[in-house]
Amino acid sequence: MSEPDLSFLDPEGRQPTPAERPPGIFAAHARAASAPGGSPAEGLVAELRAYQGELESQNKVLRYSQAVAESAYERFETLFASVPLALMVVDEHDMVVQANSMAHRSFQPTERDRPLTALMPFVRPQDARRVREAFALAQDLGRSEVKEVVFSISEDAHITGDLHIAHIEAPQTNGLPQSQYLCAVIDQGPLLAERQALQHSARTLQQRNEQLHASEKRLEAVINSALDAIICVDQHQRVTVFNPTAAALFQCSASDALGSTLDRFLPDATQALAFAQLTTQALLGEMTALTASGKELAVEVSVSFERHAEGETTTVFARDLTGRKKAEAHRSELEAQLRESHKMQAVGTMAGGIAHDFNNILGAILGNVELAKADCSPGSPVLESLLEIDKAGRRARDLVRQILTFSRNEPPQRSAVSLAEVAHDTERLLRVTLPPAIELHMQLQAGLPPVLADATQVEQALLNLCTNAVHAIGAERGSIHVEAAAVQPDQRLSERLGLAPIDYVALTVRDTGPGMEATTLERIFEPFFTTKPVGQGTGLGLAVVHGVMRTHEGGVDVQSTPGQGSRFTLYFPVATNAAQGAQAGPVAQSAPLAATASSPSSADTLSGTPGKKHHVMYVDDDQALVFLVQRLLRRRGYEVSGYTDPHEATAALRAAPQAYDLLVTDYNMPGFCGVDLVREARLIRPDLPVALASGYVTAEIEQAALAEGARALIHKPNDVEELCATVQRLIAGNDPA
């Protein structure tokens, strides 16, 4: 039987072919056609309606399934985005298909960091093999993990975490599903830090246990070898430990002493055990101890109290004072005599230590004041303040120079010295510390000849005499007179003082103090002899004066009457012309800036080429001083290169040795000596003039600088004009004329 034409039901040609038509439709149609009284068209319509109802039911199920799938996908996306783990989906080519915000924040914290497009570039090379093996295992088994992988985010940042990998297959519209990997990175940084802390704690605990065991052995050895007697008693004051020193001190064996009460050896110490409730340690000081035979001993006792689970333990330390008391008495006497001497030595050490930095500070102050004065108009009110600052700075500079001169501990370097200048320097130092009730008068003869002496020791002798005069006057009102005059001692005085028949300059110090008796006059030059109370004098002041005059081939005369004050006269031999000439050579070479100062002029006038600037290299570890000198010399027309690192200065000089016309270097720089820089500069360029600057120029520094070829020594802090004059003199002397 042929199938009926039903094209009118499907005008657009969408009717399925017999092969595509569901078999249920044809079966129902056949049943409707074979039914008695039924037509084929009615059966087909019924089947179509049933099929339409079935399709609508399937569509509802499909829409519900689609809604459920979309809801599940949204929940997955929400979970994927908000889970506090770094999650990412990586394809089989290591490309990051999807990553949540946590992954982006972890692997790309800033825009300058590497973008999260692939996972393996972040893996440390040492962990790359393990990660690849984990991906391969996940592809075979479905999942895998690798512990403690280090992900390098940047040069300074990294993540240490566990990598969990799950293999998934993403369906494709065409072809086979694509393999992908869901990766989760669990940051193990805090756990690793905690684990390391626990491991460190375990190691520390083990070390402490070992140290405790070792300390117990050491404690036993210390107790047995201690020079002090050590006795331990329990809460019932019975001896539990009695070391060998205690056995020797108390003349009792340890076996005999153990179990005895403490008052058998230290009767007075038992009363101090009441301190156990108040403190853990107590120094009982000196007390009387008893030996086993009843002999008394002077001992120094201290106790230590310990509380533990078994009760209380008291440790008594006893030290024999019999032999030490005699030594302490003698030492106390020497300490009282030398205390003031040690103070002066400490002042000298301190002055030498702070000279470098303090001179740099003063140099910067004075130099900047000079520059500020040049920038002020003549009628400016600021100029008056700058002048006062300059005056105070110069006073501070002079005071530091005098302290340094006084504090030097050098052998006598005798030369032609102006006694008037030394006296005036000492006067400035004295007036700072002089009590207000004491007046100081200076009467120096005009035209005094120079004396052959060490200026430092002369100043020290004069200062000692004036200090003794101040102490003699005490709190009373009085005066000190310092006089100097050229004299020729008579024969009687020369014989009494042992003076040669030559000319002398007499330096006299007299005071209005109480004076001295004849018995005191006979001993005033003895070392450590003093009439002052304990702690107020060492008895070394006049002994030093006597020693200074002996080394200077001079003499000291003393006249004093009770109630009429004292008079000390120092006789210094006059320097001969030969001595002055012998000193002229080295002094001229190493003269300070004041001796070589001249009127500064423009740097351009020193050069044969108009407009050419001379180049000065200045090296000092003080940045403020380098900045000052640069400003100062640049205003004078010089080109200045400043360095605070001598190594950089050496490298610059080696790179362009002919570019510099003068090198000025500091002597004392951290880890470097200015003399070494002078030596290096002379090796690089022998004809380069070099000047050495220091706030503490000694004879050794002067000799070393001159031996290495330095042409001038600059005493810091120096005047602006003096510095410019020295720079001009050295450059002018090196210019080819």
Side-chain angles (χ1 to χ4, degrees):
M1 180 177 176
S2 61
E3 295 182 1
D5 184 12
L6 301 178
S7 59
F8 65 94
L9 298 176
D10 187 18
E12 297 181 1
R14 293 177 298 178
Q15 182 177 1
T17 62
E20 297 175 351
R21 187 177 299 130
I25 300 177
F26 293 104
H29 177 67
R31 287 193 301 268
S34 60
S39 63
E42 293 177 354
L44 181 59
V45 170
E47 284 296 328
L48 289 177
R49 289 176 178 174
Y51 182 60
Q52 182 179 4
E54 183 179 355
L55 288 179
E56 290 178 356
S57 176
Q58 292 178 357
N59 285 337
K60 291 181 180 180
V61 173
L62 182 62
R63 284 195 297 271
Y64 177 76
S65 300
Q66 184 176 0
V68 171
E70 290 178 355
S71 177
Y73 180 77
E74 291 178 358
R75 289 196 299 272
F76 171 77
E77 287 292 330
T78 303
L79 179 63
F80 185 84
S82 60
V83 68
L85 291 175
L87 299 178
M88 62 195 78
V89 178
V90 181
D91 63 9
E92 57 187 1
H93 303 292
D94 192 43
M95 297 297 294
V96 177
V97 179
Q98 186 178 5
N100 64 351
S101 59
M102 187 67 179
H104 284 290
R105 287 197 302 269
S106 300
F107 286 83
Q108 191 181 3
T110 63
E111 295 181 356
R112 296 188 299 271
D113 294 324
R114 181 190 310 156
L116 184 59
T117 57
L119 179 62
M120 290 305 296
F122 289 92
V123 179
R124 187 178 60 175
Q126 294 89 323
D127 300 330
R129 184 180 59 83
R130 294 194 299 137
V131 173
R132 293 191 184 95
E133 293 176 353
F135 273 102
L137 186 63
Q139 186 174 9
D140 295 337
L141 302 180
R143 58 182 301 170
S144 65
E145 64 180 59
V146 56
K147 300 291 186 180
E148 298 183 7
V149 180
V150 178
F151 299 93
S152 299
I153 308 304
S154 63
E155 294 181 358
D156 302 328
H158 66 275
I159 298 174
T160 302
D162 296 344
L163 177 61
H164 295 262
I165 306 173
H167 180 258
I168 57 177
E169 292 184 349
Q172 303 293 321
T173 56
N174 297 321
L176 297 176
Q178 182 180 5
S179 295
Q180 293 181 347
Y181 302 91
L182 178 61
C183 301
V185 178
I186 302 177
D187 189 2
Q188 297 294 338
L191 295 179
L192 290 176
E194 184 177 358
R195 184 190 307 169
Q196 293 175 357
L198 291 176
Q199 293 175 352
H200 181 267
S201 299
R203 290 193 300 268
T204 303
L205 182 59
Q206 182 179 2
Q207 292 175 358
R208 288 182 178 178
N209 290 335
E210 295 174 355
Q211 293 173 358
L212 181 60
H213 182 65
S215 65
E216 291 177 353
K217 293 184 176 180
R218 287 196 301 268
L219 179 60
E220 182 179 359
V222 168
I223 292 177
N224 292 333
S225 61
L227 299 179
D228 292 340
I230 300 178
I231 305 173
C232 295
V233 297
D234 57 15
Q235 60 268 28
H236 304 294
Q237 300 185 14
R238 295 191 178 275
V239 177
T240 58
V241 175
F242 203 75
N243 73 335
T245 305
L249 177 63
F250 297 104
Q251 300 177 5
C252 180
S253 62
S255 59
D256 186 20
L258 294 177
S260 303
T261 57
L262 182 61
D263 56 2
R264 176 183 175 185
F265 305 103
L266 296 169
D268 299 332
T270 56
Q271 301 177 0
L273 298 183
F275 292 132
Q277 303 299 327
L278 303 176
T279 181
T280 59
Q281 292 181 347
L283 179 62
L284 306 184
E286 183 178 348
M287 61 177 53
T288 302
L290 296 176
T291 64
S293 60
K295 181 182 176 180
E296 293 185 352
L297 296 173
V299 294
E300 184 181 42
V301 178
S302 61
V303 293
S304 175
F305 306 103
E306 298 177 2
R307 300 178 181 87
H308 45 79
E310 291 77 11
E312 297 180 354
T313 299
T314 303
T315 304
V316 181
F317 303 89
R319 178 173 299 178
D320 187 11
L321 300 180
T322 304
R324 195 179 70 179
K325 295 186 73 172
K326 294 181 180 180
E328 285 185 350
H330 181 64
R331 184 173 59 189
S332 298
E333 181 180 357
L334 293 179
E335 287 179 353
Q337 294 172 347
L338 293 175
R339 189 172 294 111
E340 290 298 325
S341 178
H342 291 168
K343 288 181 181 179
M344 296 307 299
Q345 183 179 4
V347 170
T349 303
M350 180 183 65
I354 67 173
H356 179 260
D357 292 339
F358 196 65
N359 276 327
N360 286 347
I361 295 172
L362 287 177
I365 293 174
L366 292 174
N368 283 284
V369 166
E370 197 68 26
L371 292 175
K373 285 164 55 180
D375 294 336
C376 288
S377 58
S380 174
V382 180
L383 184 60
E384 183 177 358
S385 299
L386 292 175
L387 292 175
E388 291 299 321
I389 296 175
D390 183 71
K391 185 188 302 182
R394 292 177 184 273
R395 288 175 56 194
R397 179 195 62 185
D398 296 339
L399 181 60
V400 170
R401 285 181 178 176
Q402 292 182 48
I403 294 176
L404 289 176
T405 302
F406 174 74
S407 65
R408 293 173 186 167
N409 185 19
E410 301 175 358
Q413 300 290 334
R414 299 176 64 188
S415 60
V417 175
S418 173
L419 207 57
E421 293 182 3
V422 174
H424 285 302
D425 290 342
T426 308
E427 178 188 7
R428 285 193 291 269
L429 187 60
L430 280 172
R431 291 193 182 278
V432 180
T433 58
L434 201 65
I438 299 178
E439 299 179 357
L440 178 63
H441 302 280
M442 304 289 292
Q443 298 177 358
L444 306 178
Q445 182 180 358
L448 286 175
V451 296
L452 187 60
D454 186 322
T456 302
Q457 293 195 359
V458 173
E459 186 171 359
Q460 184 175 359
L462 180 57
L463 187 63
N464 285 356
L465 291 178
C466 294
T467 303
N468 278 357
V470 171
H471 290 168
I473 297 173
E476 303 294 332
R477 181 172 296 277
S479 61
I480 301 174
H481 297 263
V482 179
E483 303 170 355
V487 297
Q488 187 172 9
D490 55 23
Q491 183 178 359
R492 181 178 178 182
L493 181 62
S494 298
E495 292 178 354
R496 182 164 61 89
L497 300 180
L499 302 177
I502 57 176
D503 294 334
Y504 292 86
V505 174
L507 181 63
T508 303
V509 178
R510 57 185 178 90
D511 60 71
T512 58
M516 294 178 286
E517 299 177 352
T519 55
T520 303
L521 285 175
E522 294 176 357
R523 303 185 58 190
I524 58 174
F525 294 119
E526 294 180 7
F528 306 114
F529 173 77
T530 178
T531 59
K532 302 171 186 175
V534 176
Q536 296 186 13
T538 64
L540 294 174
L542 294 180
V544 170
V545 173
H546 187 269
V548 169
M549 299 312 300
R550 185 173 62 251
T551 58
H552 283 71
E553 300 177 0
V556 53
D557 185 26
V558 185
Q559 298 176 6
S560 180
T561 303
Q564 298 183 12
S566 303
R567 180 188 184 96
F568 290 82
T569 304
L570 309 180
Y571 292 91
F572 292 95
V574 174
T576 61
N577 294 333
Q580 297 184 44
Q583 295 294 327
V587 170
Q589 294 179 5
S590 61
L593 293 179
T596 59
S598 59
S599 300
S601 61
S602 174
D604 292 340
T605 62
L606 301 177
S607 174
T609 304
K612 177 186 176 182
K613 289 186 177 182
H614 289 285
H615 197 171
V616 179
M617 176 183 287
Y618 188 82
V619 184
D620 197 295
D621 62 308
D622 193 298
Q623 180 64 42
L625 203 57
V626 172
F627 180 67
L628 167 68
V629 172
Q630 285 180 325
R631 295 175 57 204
L632 174 65
L633 295 181
R634 285 170 182 170
R635 287 196 179 190
R636 302 302 176 102
Y638 295 98
E639 182 181 354
V640 186
S641 296
Y643 296 91
T644 57
D645 187 352
H647 300 286
E648 294 182 2
T650 304
L653 183 61
R654 186 176 290 108
Q658 300 299 327
Y660 302 95
D661 300 299
L662 174 64
L663 169 63
V664 181
T665 176
D666 188 21
Y667 172 76
N668 186 13
M669 291 176 284
F672 205 88
C673 177
V675 177
D676 297 333
L677 184 56
V678 173
R679 185 184 304 110
E680 290 291 333
R682 299 287 294 175
L683 292 176
I684 296 173
R685 181 181 164 189
D687 63 332
L688 179 66
V690 182
L692 187 69
S694 176
Y696 191 60
V697 179
T698 62
E700 289 79 2
I701 296 176
E702 178 181 344
Q703 294 174 3
L706 295 178
E708 296 297 337
R711 299 191 184 181
L713 289 178
I714 300 176
H715 293 256
K716 297 163 51 178
N718 49 276
D719 291 334
V720 170
E721 299 299 334
E722 293 174 357
L723 176 63
C724 296
T726 301
V727 171
Q728 174 183 331
R729 177 177 63 84
L730 294 178
I731 292 181
N734 200 60
D735 273 348

